[in-house]
Amino acid sequence: MPSSIALIIFFHLVYSEAAPDSEQIVEIPQPTDFNITEIRIGVFNFTWKSNLSYNKDYAVHYKVCIGDLGNEDCKEEERDVAHFRRFISRGVFAKVKTIVSSGNRKAESNWTIRNFPLSKGITEQALQNVSCILYNFDHINCTWETAKEVPDDAQYSVYFGQRNRVFPCHQFIRNDQRKITGCHSKKGTAFLDKRVHILINVSGVDFYSAPRFRFNPYKIEKLNPPENITIAKKPDGLHIEWDQPYSLITNQKTCFIYEVNLSENERFFETLEIKKDSTCSITTFDTTTSYSLQIRAKRSSACRENLFWSDWSKIITINDRPPDPTVPLVVIAVVVSALFLILLKWKGPKVLLKLFPPIPSPTNKMKQWLEKEDIIQPYNPREHPTYIENIIKIEENEESDTL
C-alpha cells in the first residue's frame, strides 16, 4: 500500500509540473498514532506515523502546530522527521500534517488534531505565580498560589529534575490556614548550570492537575552573604575587604556587585554600590561615633544577572563603645522596685502587718481599774501634818564614876 501511494504521489507531482493548469487531485494520507511521551519532567516527545515509505523521487516533511488547550491559535513549524521534543507546562492543543514535495511542487495532507490535557475536573490554572529560589548550592524553595476551586484538603506531590536526576519535595510549606503553598527540597549535590524542571501534582477525589515548570539556575540563584569581612582604620578613612561569594554560574571577579550599608546608631547612614572589586574605602567617617556595617552581593548584568540579592551579612560594629557601668545598677534597681511593688500589691496587708504590728489593747482588769472613781490622787505635802522630833542628850558625871 505505501508503495502504491508513493507511485501515485510521484506521478501527481510530475504531472502537475508538466501541466500546472490541470486539476489532478491526489490525497496525501494523514499522520496517524499521534501521541506524546514524557521523557523527563516537563519534556514531552511528540511522535506520529506518516504512512509513507521512503522514496528518492520526493521528500516528506511535516508541519506541526502547538497552542494552549482550548485555543486553536498556534504558530506553525516545519519538521523533517516524525517526532520532536517540547517542554509543556500545561495541557496543549496540537496538530500535525504531512507535506510531500518534488522540486517546486508540494502536496499536503489534512491535519491530525489531538488535545493533550494535564489536568482533569479542574482548571489548567490551578497553580499560579509559581516562583523558586536556589540557595546554598543544593537547596531550592518554591512557592505558589492556588486557585479558589482547589480545596484545602487537596493532595500534593512535587518532584524536581535536572538532567536525568529526579528528587522529591522534602518539606511542604504551609500558610496560616495550614494550606500547602510551597515546598523546600535539598538535592544533595550542587545544582548544575542547567534548567531545573518541577512537576507539581495536585489531586483530589474527582480531579487532578499536574503542571510543569522550569527555571534557569542563573536567574533564581541567591548568593550567600559575603564572609570574612575585615576593617582597617587608616588616616583617610576605613578600608573594608571581604571574600567573594561562590556562585554556581561563574566565579569571575568582574561578575559581582555589592552593596555596603553603613549605619549610625541603628540609623541609616550610607549605602555604597561596589562593582567588580570586593573592597571599598569610606572617607566620611567619624572616629568618635559608633557605626554598624553590613554587606550583600549579587551577580551583575554582564554575567547573566540573577533576580535576588543575597541576605545582608552579620552586623559588624565599628568604634564599639564600652557599656556604661551604671546601666546594670539602674536595671537592677528597676527590677527590684518592680518586684517589691508586685509583692506589695499581692501580699501588701500581710507584709504591713508583719512590719508594723498593731498596739495591743489593755486587759479587762486594767480597764476596770482605770474606770474606778477612787483612783490614786497625786501626793500633796500641804494636806498632811508635820511631825517634830526632839532629841535629848544626857551626859554622866565623873564623880558618880568614882563612887
Side-chain angles (χ1 to χ4, degrees):
M1 180 65 180
S3 59
S4 61
I5 295 176
L7 185 62
I8 294 173
I9 293 173
F10 173 71
F11 278 113
H12 166 69
L13 293 173
V14 173
Y15 181 79
S16 299
E17 186 174 0
D21 294 333
S22 62
E23 296 182 357
Q24 296 290 330
I25 299 176
V26 175
E27 183 178 351
I28 307 297
Q30 293 179 236
T32 58
D33 297 334
F34 188 20
N35 292 302
I36 62 173
T37 304
E38 189 169 17
I39 56 177
R40 60 177 181 268
I41 294 179
V43 179
F44 290 82
N45 192 27
F46 290 75
T47 59
W48 60 88
K49 292 182 179 179
S50 66
N51 295 319
L52 290 175
S53 61
Y54 171 77
N55 190 298
K56 64 179 182 178
D57 296 320
Y58 59 87
V60 178
H61 50 284
Y62 308 93
K63 187 177 290 185
V64 297
C65 189
I66 298 177
D68 294 334
L69 195 63
N71 183 5
E72 296 186 5
D73 293 335
C74 57
K75 183 179 179 180
E76 296 181 1
E77 305 173 22
E78 290 196 1
R79 301 282 175 176
D80 294 329
V81 292
H83 63 85
F84 69 97
R85 293 179 180 180
R86 178 69 57 86
F87 173 81
I88 295 179
S89 174
R90 308 180 190 278
V92 295
F93 158 84
K95 58 184 180 179
V96 60
K97 68 164 56 175
T98 303
I99 301 175
V100 179
S101 61
S102 177
N104 295 327
R105 299 294 180 179
K106 290 184 179 181
E108 298 182 355
S109 71
N110 294 325
W111 288 104
T112 297
I113 301 174
R114 287 285 307 275
N115 289 326
F116 300 103
L118 296 181
S119 66
K120 177 183 178 182
I122 196 170
T123 176
E124 291 282 343
Q125 304 295 330
L127 300 180
Q128 303 170 0
N129 299 327
V130 178
S131 62
C132 295
I133 296 178
L134 193 155
Y135 64 99
N136 281 352
F137 319 132
D138 65 343
H139 290 256
I140 187 168
N141 268 15
C142 292
T143 58
W144 55 78
E145 296 177 3
T146 55
K148 294 181 179 179
E149 60 186 290
V150 178
D152 295 343
D153 60 350
Q155 301 296 315
Y156 290 80
S157 60
V158 180
Y159 294 92
F160 300 89
Q162 191 176 53
R163 287 283 182 92
N164 295 324
R165 181 171 181 181
V166 177
F167 53 98
C169 173
H170 293 125
Q171 182 180 2
F172 285 108
I173 301 171
R174 299 177 182 270
N175 59 14
D176 295 338
Q177 290 74 38
R178 304 297 299 164
K179 190 172 185 178
I180 294 177
T181 58
C183 170
H184 165 75
S185 191
K186 182 178 180 181
K187 182 182 178 184
T189 58
F191 280 92
L192 305 174
D193 187 12
K194 303 294 180 181
R195 284 175 173 169
V196 179
H197 294 243
I198 304 168
L199 166 63
I200 306 177
N201 284 310
V202 188
S203 60
V205 177
D206 54 357
F207 74 92
Y208 72 86
S209 179
R212 279 79 165 166
F213 305 90
R214 62 179 177 179
F215 298 92
N216 288 312
Y218 78 87
K219 287 186 177 181
I220 64 173
E221 181 186 23
K222 183 177 181 179
L223 303 176
N224 287 331
E227 296 180 343
N228 298 328
I229 301 172
T230 59
I231 302 172
K233 297 180 183 179
K234 296 186 177 182
D236 59 345
L238 292 177
H239 183 70
I240 307 169
E241 294 184 356
W242 57 88
D243 288 349
Q244 173 184 300
Y246 175 80
S247 172
L248 297 171
I249 311 304
T250 179
N251 285 307
Q252 294 183 13
K253 188 176 181 180
T254 57
C255 289
F256 296 87
I257 57 176
Y258 306 91
E259 280 190 350
V260 178
N261 184 34
L262 192 67
S263 58
E264 177 186 347
N265 297 327
E266 300 182 356
R267 177 175 62 88
F268 170 79
F269 179 68
E270 186 175 8
T271 298
L272 304 175
E273 183 171 311
I274 311 299
K275 296 182 178 180
K276 301 180 181 180
D277 295 329
S278 56
T279 62
C280 77
S281 296
I282 299 177
T283 57
T284 56
F285 177 74
D286 185 0
T287 57
T288 63
T289 304
S290 179
Y291 296 93
S292 296
L293 178 73
Q294 289 181 290
I295 304 175
R296 64 178 182 175
K298 187 174 184 282
R299 278 201 321 277
S300 67
S301 57
C303 302
R304 296 190 294 173
E305 183 179 13
N306 55 332
L307 300 175
F308 312 104
W309 281 94
S310 73
D311 293 331
W312 287 104
S313 63
K314 295 180 179 179
I315 297 176
I316 297 178
T317 303
I318 308 170
N319 291 339
D320 191 13
R321 299 176 181 177
D324 189 350
T326 60
V327 172
L329 297 177
V330 173
V331 172
I332 292 173
V334 170
V335 171
V336 172
S337 300
L339 292 175
F340 178 75
L341 291 175
I342 293 172
L343 182 62
L344 194 62
K345 184 176 180 181
W346 182 32
K347 293 188 176 182
K350 293 183 179 180
V351 173
L352 291 176
L353 187 62
K354 294 290 185 182
L355 295 176
F356 307 103
I359 299 173
S361 302
T363 62
N364 293 333
K365 290 183 178 182
M366 183 62 70
K367 288 183 179 181
Q368 293 175 1
W369 180 78
L370 292 173
E371 290 174 356
K372 287 182 179 181
E373 295 181 358
D374 53 345
I375 58 175
I376 301 174
Q377 299 295 329
Y379 175 78
N380 189 352
R382 293 181 181 180
E383 296 180 359
H384 294 79
T386 302
Y387 298 94
I388 299 174
E389 181 179 3
N390 295 324
I391 300 173
I392 301 174
K393 183 177 181 181
I394 302 174
E395 296 181 357
E396 293 183 0
N397 192 349
E398 291 181 357
E399 292 181 358
S400 61
D401 291 338
T402 59
L403 292 177

